[in-house]
């Protein structure tokens, strides 16, 4: 493979006639499905590629020498203001956001925000414009209405539903 372009976030690789994108920090990054009581946490983030605000699950790249668990805890904190302890978060699988051109395998974590835990907005970065909570039915409606259309969020939430609520889909 030959590197044909590189910047701080990704590199474009060429192998024969095919081109692939390798994202720095994606394999030790994370997507976080966080719940407070029975509500899922989503964030509204401005995405330059679409020139609009997108409703999605918290996520981000891992830093150098950071595990994906550490990245999950940090990203949830930075994007939502909620800090979870390692015992309240667990790996539930991985997703490949675009298997035809991205080399990424993104770890997906489930985090339980404990009742009574306070949000600390001073911990948040400027990327998130809003933190929102939705119950299961509302999440499904948001997906059906196209208000949640981010591929990484869709694949992660489907992984969660398949892993923890699959009997609901089979009946």
């Amino acid at each position: 493979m030959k590197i044909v372009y590189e910047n701080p976030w990704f590199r474009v690789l060429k192998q024969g006639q095919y081109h692939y994108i390798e994202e720095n920090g994606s394999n030790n990054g994370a997507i976080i499905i966080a719940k407070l009581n029975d509500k899922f946490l989503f964030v509204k983030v401005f995405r330059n590629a679409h020139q609009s605000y997108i409703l999605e699950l918290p996520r981000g790249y891992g830093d150098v020498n950071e595990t994906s668990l550490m990245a999950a805890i940090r990203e949830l904190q930075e994007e939502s203001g909620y800090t979870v302890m390692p015992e309240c978060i667990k790996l539930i699988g991985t997703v490949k956001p675009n298997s035809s051109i991205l080399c990424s395998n993104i770890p997906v974590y489930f985090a339980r925000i404990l009742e009574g835990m306070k949000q600390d907005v001073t911990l948040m970065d400027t990327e998130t414009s809003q933190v929102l909570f939705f119950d299961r039915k509302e999440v499904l409606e948001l997906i059906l209405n196209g208000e949640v259309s981010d591929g990484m969020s869709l694949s992660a939430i489907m992984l969660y539903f398949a892993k923890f609520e699959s009997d609901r889909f089979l009946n």
Side-chain angles (χ1 to χ4, degrees):
M1 270 195 219
K2 175 184 167 189
I3 297 173
V4 294
Y5 175 78
E6 188 170 16
N7 66 34
W9 300 278
F10 65 87
R11 68 178 128 275
V12 178
L13 306 170
K14 183 176 182 188
Q15 183 177 30
Q17 67 181 15
Y18 298 101
H19 289 78
Y20 307 99
I21 298 171
E22 186 176 79
E23 298 173 287
N24 298 332
S26 64
N27 293 340
N28 67 323
I31 304 169
I32 307 93
I33 299 165
K35 284 181 85 175
L36 174 61
N37 299 321
D38 286 331
K39 298 210 174 207
F40 293 90
L41 184 151
F42 279 79
V43 293
K44 194 174 270 192
V45 180
F46 187 81
R47 294 295 182 197
N48 282 303
H50 296 277
Q51 288 297 295
S52 64
Y53 287 91
I54 308 287
L55 190 58
E56 57 190 43
L57 295 170
R59 68 168 193 242
Y61 294 123
D63 290 335
V64 175
N65 298 321
E66 185 176 48
T67 66
S68 64
L69 174 63
M70 292 163 54
I73 292 169
R74 177 183 50 75
E75 285 293 337
L76 181 61
Q77 184 180 65
E78 288 176 0
E79 293 191 11
S80 74
Y82 287 97
T83 302
V84 295
M85 297 296 106
E87 59 271 12
C88 294
I89 189 169
K90 67 178 180 174
L91 179 68
I92 63 169
T94 61
V95 296
K96 293 172 175 38
N98 184 344
S99 59
S100 66
I101 63 165
L102 294 177
C103 301
S104 306
N105 292 297
I106 313 291
V108 179
Y109 284 86
F110 173 69
R112 174 77 54 199
I113 299 171
L114 300 176
E115 193 170 348
M117 181 181 290
K118 300 290 183 211
Q119 180 186 36
D120 185 349
V121 295
T122 64
L123 299 174
M124 292 175 62
D125 60 22
T126 58
E127 186 178 33
T128 301
S129 69
Q130 248 182 317
V131 176
L132 302 158
F133 287 92
F134 303 104
D135 64 27
R136 179 184 185 279
K137 183 178 178 187
E138 291 170 320
V139 169
L140 293 172
E141 284 295 320
L142 290 166
I143 292 169
L144 287 172
N145 294 336
E147 294 175 67
V148 173
S149 59
D150 163 59
M152 287 177 43
S153 296
L154 291 171
S155 56
I157 202 77
M158 186 62 209
L159 177 64
Y160 172 87
F161 285 149
K163 197 162 195 102
F164 299 111
E165 300 185 21
S166 59
D167 60 329
R168 292 183 185 179
F169 288 98
L170 299 176
N171 294 330

